[in-house]
């Protein structure tokens, strides 16, 4: 995958995508797979905004039962199965345990019924050849078993627990990247750090965009038959280029915050009810409180999610100490043994989601629940579609529907979609456990099992590409040398084949180094010096890049209310 801006200016594409998050990446793959010529540009790095700031959970939609929204449940179940199939190295089953209290909506009986209905609705969830990807039936357990699995869980009123399985993405940044790599392999031209600044028009038809190369300051025109806007929180900003010609689309936003902390639970993801009141106006049955989720992550816990109104510009997004303390308070109130303090927070995730309004009782944002595919031809502006996505899990399905609509807007019958059965980059794996064991058995001399596991989980069937970048130091037996050798290979591969332009790209989005906190200074320095050799950085640039990485998570210390 090469960054070739000359190609972007030379061609007129069938489709140009604005935005390189999970939705843009999935549309690029879907459209390329169906034979369209595709370009995609992203103003920052790929998957560097909302797509990177998730709970890492691939949801099967159990929570939609309270809305009796069986259509969305089926959609989520199907897409979870699809991701387990096409990205087997990145998506893995995750056990989830919910303590049950009393005999009402949060009791054992109600959740037992919910699990039974969920299993019935997802009866085809295990139509996969790989048994490692199968989702077991849900079941309820006794109060004693729940206390053994979750030591310290409050026992007053505890009646048991509801145990079910969902899925977790091992590296949420590499999944969009893998979709983009797949698209590039079949001909798509993709580029990061290219910011759109205006639309190109012929009459009232949108024919492309005017763009700026953030790295050089150069300006370029990119032309296409149709433009799809998947800019997420920047949706309103992009549509602002129309100067009021598209008033029907306006997306208000909510700020979402997750925290990575010291580990609270080891094996199970745990769902607990916040003590803060919450009312879902669309729910048939209201539980009365927001659900908090604590999942194991890189030997730590990832906890979320808290939501607040955001009416400022997306570029000004900041997670404040007040945001962090509020979420810590919610966790500590719901699960007192946690006793989390700001010093326990290793990393902060902040992203922006679409909302529909504000709850008049609580002041909390009401999140948008339905995706939208908006064809601006309805407003007399053919050649432009806007996608409002609401869920990481179902991005591929929305991409399929968007490309279907694209063909129909051209008066053509959409070709059959095969993206639900076609492995993406790194996903050529029939049985994950067998593949992993073979990789461990055949690992190069000197590489530890831990290193090989990390390579397989991040790169899947493409992990040999990393080994090819090694530069002859695997014969040395010292583990630190071997670890650094592999790290150097990953950095070189990220620069040469994955379009990494900054140290932050490598630390936070190409490797797993920064997924649970900023790495040690000597690791940052080693990676920066490796990139400097590849990209010709000066000593001053090396220091600037290292400082930029450190600042990514320093905002959690800001005393901003």
């Amino acid at each position: 995958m090469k960054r070739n801006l000359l190609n972007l200016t030379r061609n007129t594409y069938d489709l140009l995508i604005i935005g390189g998050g999970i939705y843009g990446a999935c549309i690029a793959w879907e459209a390329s797979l169906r034979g369209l010529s595709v370009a995609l540009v992203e103003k920052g790095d790929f998957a560097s905004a909302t797509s990177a700031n998730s709970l890492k959970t691939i949801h099967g939609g159990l929570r939609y039962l309270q809305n009796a929204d069986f259509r969305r449940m089926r959609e989520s179940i199907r897409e979870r199965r699809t991701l387990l199939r096409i990205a087997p190295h990145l998506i893995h089953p995750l056990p989830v345990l919910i303590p049950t209290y009393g005999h009402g909506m949060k009791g054992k009986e109600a959740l037992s019924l919910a699990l039974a209905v969920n299993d019935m609705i997802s009866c085809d969830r295990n139509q996969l050849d790989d048994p490692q990807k199968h989702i077991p039936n849900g079941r309820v357990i006794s109060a004693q078993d729940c206390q053994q699995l979750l030591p310290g869980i409050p026992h007053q009123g505890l009646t048991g627990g509801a145990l079910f399985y969902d899925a977790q993405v091992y590296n949420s940044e590499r999944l969009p990247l893998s979709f983009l790599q797949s698209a590039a392999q079949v001909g798509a031209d993709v580029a990061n750090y290219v910011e759109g600044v205006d639309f190109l028009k012929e009459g009232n038809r949108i024919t492309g965009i005017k763009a700026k190369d953030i790295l050089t300051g150069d300006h370029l025109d990119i032309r296409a038959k149709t433009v799809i806007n998947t800019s997420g929180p920047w949706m309103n900003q992009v549509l602002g280029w129309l100067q009021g010609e598209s008033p029907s689309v306006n997306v208000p936003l909510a700020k979402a915050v997750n925290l990575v902390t010291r580990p609270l639970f080891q094996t199970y993801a745990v769902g607990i009810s916040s003590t803060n009141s919450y009312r879902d106006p669309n729910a048939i049955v209201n539980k009365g409180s927001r659900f908090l989720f604590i999942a194991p992550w890189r030997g730590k816990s990832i906890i979320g999610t808290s939501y607040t109104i955001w009416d400022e510009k997306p570029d000004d997004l900041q997670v404040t100490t007040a945001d962090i303390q509020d979420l810590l308070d919610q966790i500590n109130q719901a699960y007192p043994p946690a006793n989390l303090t700001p010093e326990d927070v290793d990393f902060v995730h902040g992203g922006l989601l679409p909302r529909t309004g504000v709850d008049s009782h609580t002041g909390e944002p009401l999140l948008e629940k339905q995706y939208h595919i908006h064809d601006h031809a309805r407003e007399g502006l053919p050649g432009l579609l806007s996608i409002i996505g609401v869920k990481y899990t179902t991005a591929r399905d929305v991409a399929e529907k968007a490309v279907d609509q694209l063909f129909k807007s051209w008066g053509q019958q959409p070709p059959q979609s095969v993206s639900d059965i076609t492995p993406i980059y790194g996903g050529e794996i029939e049985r994950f456990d067998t593949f992993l064991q073979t990789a461990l058995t055949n690992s190069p001399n000197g590489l530890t099992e831990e290193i090989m596991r990390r390579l397989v989980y991040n790169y899947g069937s493409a992990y040999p590409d990393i080994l090819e970048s090694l530069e002859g130091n695997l014969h040395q037996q010292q583990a630190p040398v071997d670890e650094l050798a592999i790290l150097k290979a990953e950095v070189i591969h990220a620069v040469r084949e994955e379009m990494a332009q900054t140290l932050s790209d490598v630390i936070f989005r190409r490797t797993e180094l920064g997924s649970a906190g900023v790495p040690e200074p000597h690791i940052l320095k080693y990676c920066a010096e490796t990139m400097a050799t590849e990209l010709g950085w000066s000593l001053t640039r090396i220091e600037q890049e290292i400082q930029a990485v450190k600042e990514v998570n320093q905002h959690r210390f800001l005393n901003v209310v």
Side-chain angles (χ1 to χ4, degrees), residues 238-263:
V238 170
L239 293 180
W241 304 343
L242 295 171
Q243 298 179 341
E245 294 181 80
S246 179
S248 62
V249 177
N250 180 57
V251 185
L253 300 172
K255 176 167 63 173
V257 176
N258 301 317
L259 305 177
V260 177
T261 72
R262 59 171 168 80

Side-chain angles (χ1 to χ4, degrees), residues 473-494:
N473 57 355
L474 289 180
H475 63 281
Q476 303 179 39
Q477 295 302 308
Q478 297 91 339
V481 174
D482 290 330
E483 177 71 33
L484 290 178
I486 283 292
L487 182 55
K488 182 176 184 179
E490 287 189 88
V491 174
I492 291 172
H493 181 78

Side-chain angles (χ1 to χ4, degrees), residues 269-492:
V270 178
I272 55 177
S273 295
S274 166
T275 57
N276 292 2
S277 63
Y278 173 73
R279 183 181 61 89
D280 185 344
N282 299 313
I284 295 174
V285 178
N286 262 293
K287 296 178 295 183
S289 60
R290 187 179 290 283
F291 204 59
L292 297 173
F293 198 70
I294 306 168
W297 181 252
R298 304 282 192 262
K300 300 178 183 182
S301 285
I302 185 167
I303 300 172
T305 303
S306 68
Y307 302 98
T308 53
I309 305 298
W310 185 260
D311 289 327
E312 308 300 321
K313 295 179 180 178
D315 288 319
D316 295 334
L317 176 66
Q318 188 174 68
V319 179
T320 69
T321 53
D323 294 325
I324 295 168
Q325 190 60 56
D326 176 65
L327 184 49
L328 292 176
D329 290 343
Q330 290 186 51
I331 291 294
N332 290 336
Q333 290 165 9
Y335 178 56
N339 194 27
L340 292 171
T341 69
E343 287 68 34
D344 294 316
V345 178
D346 294 303
F347 202 70
V348 178
H349 289 205
L352 293 170
L353 300 172
R355 75 174 199 262
T356 58
V358 180
D359 189 309
S360 59
H361 297 279
T362 66
E364 288 195 342
L366 299 174
L367 300 182
E368 176 65 77
K369 295 181 179 180
Q370 300 290 341
Y371 69 85
H372 296 277
I373 302 172
H374 187 86
D375 189 341
H376 293 270
R378 303 171 194 166
E379 301 140 11
L381 293 166
L384 176 64
L385 275 68
S386 290
I387 310 297
I388 301 171
V390 297
K391 190 175 179 182
Y392 193 103
T393 303
T394 53
R396 189 219 62 88
D397 179 66
V398 176
E400 180 181 329
K401 291 179 171 66
V403 175
D404 282 346
Q405 185 161 326
L406 182 67
F407 275 100
K408 291 174 183 176
S409 73
W410 296 337
Q412 300 177 19
Q413 181 66 29
Q416 179 79 27
S417 173
V418 293
S419 62
D420 62 332
I421 58 173
T422 306
I424 61 173
Y425 177 83
E428 296 282 354
I429 299 171
E430 292 186 5
R431 295 202 170 195
F432 183 79
D433 286 343
T434 301
F435 182 88
L436 176 60
Q437 188 55 52
T438 301
L440 295 176
T441 301
N442 299 323
S443 63
N445 182 40
L447 287 188
T448 66
E449 180 175 318
E450 180 183 357
I451 292 173
M452 285 305 300
R453 283 183 178 274
R454 174 167 60 79
L455 290 178
V456 169
Y457 273 83
N458 277 304
Y459 302 96
S461 56
Y463 82 87
D465 294 346
I466 306 301
L467 299 182
E468 289 180 6
S469 297
L470 288 174
E471 297 183 351
N473 57 355
L474 289 180
H475 63 281
Q476 303 179 39
Q477 295 302 308
Q478 297 91 339
V481 174
D482 290 330
E483 177 71 33
L484 290 178
I486 283 292
L487 182 55
K488 182 176 184 179
E490 287 189 88
V491 174
I492 291 172

Side-chain angles (χ1 to χ4, degrees), residues 118-282:
N118 182 58
D119 287 336
M120 180 177 65
I121 293 173
S122 64
C123 59
D124 58 351
R125 65 188 181 277
N126 292 329
Q127 291 180 351
L128 298 168
D129 293 333
D130 187 350
Q132 192 259 350
K133 303 303 177 188
H134 288 179
I135 304 292
N137 283 343
R139 59 189 175 92
V140 293
I141 61 175
S142 68
Q144 182 179 6
D145 288 342
C146 186
Q147 286 179 306
Q148 288 179 344
L149 293 173
L150 306 177
I153 198 77
H155 64 272
Q156 186 174 359
L158 182 71
T159 56
L163 177 61
F164 68 99
Y165 283 74
D166 235 326
Q168 187 179 57
V169 55
Y170 181 82
N171 190 323
S172 59
E173 292 76 24
R174 288 204 65 84
L175 184 60
L177 186 67
S178 296
F179 277 110
L180 289 171
Q181 288 171 305
S182 299
Q185 285 178 339
V186 294
D189 290 324
V190 304
N192 53 3
Y193 297 101
V194 174
E195 181 178 13
V197 295
D198 202 355
F199 287 117
L200 295 171
K201 295 174 67 178
E202 293 181 5
N204 64 337
R205 171 172 285 278
I206 304 300
T207 59
I209 65 169
K210 297 179 180 180
K212 177 182 178 181
D213 181 357
I214 298 297
L215 303 180
T216 65
D218 294 339
H219 290 264
L220 59 154
D221 290 349
I222 311 171
R223 301 186 182 278
K225 189 175 179 181
T226 297
V227 176
I228 290 188
N229 175 14
T230 64
S231 55
W234 288 269
M235 178 71 63
N236 297 332
Q237 180 177 311
V238 170
L239 293 180
W241 304 343
L242 295 171
Q243 298 179 341
E245 294 181 80
S246 179
S248 62
V249 177
N250 180 57
V251 185
L253 300 172
K255 176 167 63 173
V257 176
N258 301 317
L259 305 177
V260 177
T261 72
R262 59 171 168 80
L264 300 184
F265 306 108
Q266 298 293 336
T267 304
Y268 294 87
V270 178
I272 55 177
S273 295
S274 166
T275 57
N276 292 2
S277 63
Y278 173 73
R279 183 181 61 89
D280 185 344
N282 299 313

